[in-house]
Amino acid sequence: MAERRRSVGMTLAAILSMFFGAMLAIGNTTEVVRGETFNGLSVSTPMAILGLAGAAFSVMLFAGGVGTWQVRPYGRILSMAAAVAMIILNVAAAVLFDFPLVFTALGSLYPVILLIAFNSWRWKEAFSAAGPRRDVPMM
């Protein structure tokens, strides 16, 4: 198997995914356990369900960050699945709980960037099971 090389962009995505994944998992779980959001709102049952789902997808994002660091196919798969799930959760929260659109957009920004990056041909090639082609320079 060919050597897998991690680009600067992949390194940044890995670090950010592990950081955001850990922080969001801790934050979502803390709000559900406390029964109150960080800005003082009471957590309803539907909000708790979304919070726990968000925590689970945040753990998936963290694991995707680890796989991205290692340039493994599972890193790409988990990262993209977590990104899609987080966008869906952000939209659901905006619709169900009347969250401001700006928070939905900001909360979806990083997942959209991940989807764009992981669907670029260079990243697809780097994360393929066969490994990257030697004649394609990594950026």
Side-chain angles (χ1 to χ4, degrees):
M1 183 186 297
E3 176 188 349
R4 296 172 191 266
R5 291 184 22 214
R6 183 177 61 244
S7 69
V8 173
M10 291 173 198
T11 301
L12 182 61
I15 292 169
L16 287 175
S17 291
M18 288 186 279
F19 175 76
F20 288 145
M23 292 298 102
L24 289 170
I26 291 168
N28 284 347
T29 304
T30 301
E31 284 186 341
V32 171
V33 169
R34 283 180 44 203
E36 182 177 90
T37 64
F38 288 108
N39 59 355
L41 297 175
S42 178
V43 174
S44 64
T45 301
M47 196 180 287
I49 291 169
L50 280 181
L52 291 176
F57 294 132
S58 298
V59 170
M60 187 186 302
L61 181 65
F62 182 88
V66 171
T68 300
W69 182 265
Q70 298 172 345
V71 193
R72 298 286 183 250
Y74 81 86
R76 179 176 183 265
I77 292 166
L78 286 178
S79 295
M80 291 192 327
V84 169
M86 291 176 135
I87 292 168
I88 291 169
L89 282 178
N90 282 327
V91 171
V95 170
L96 294 174
F97 305 113
D98 200 28
F99 285 170
L101 190 57
V102 68
F103 293 140
T104 303
L106 288 174
S108 298
L109 183 62
Y110 182 65
V112 167
I113 290 169
L114 280 183
L115 288 173
I116 292 168
F118 277 106
N119 281 300
S120 72
W121 69 271
R122 283 194 173 113
W123 283 36
K124 280 183 184 180
E125 183 74 23
F127 285 91
S128 73
R133 291 183 0 213
R134 294 197 183 267
D135 61 337
V136 178
M138 294 300 298
M139 293 188 142

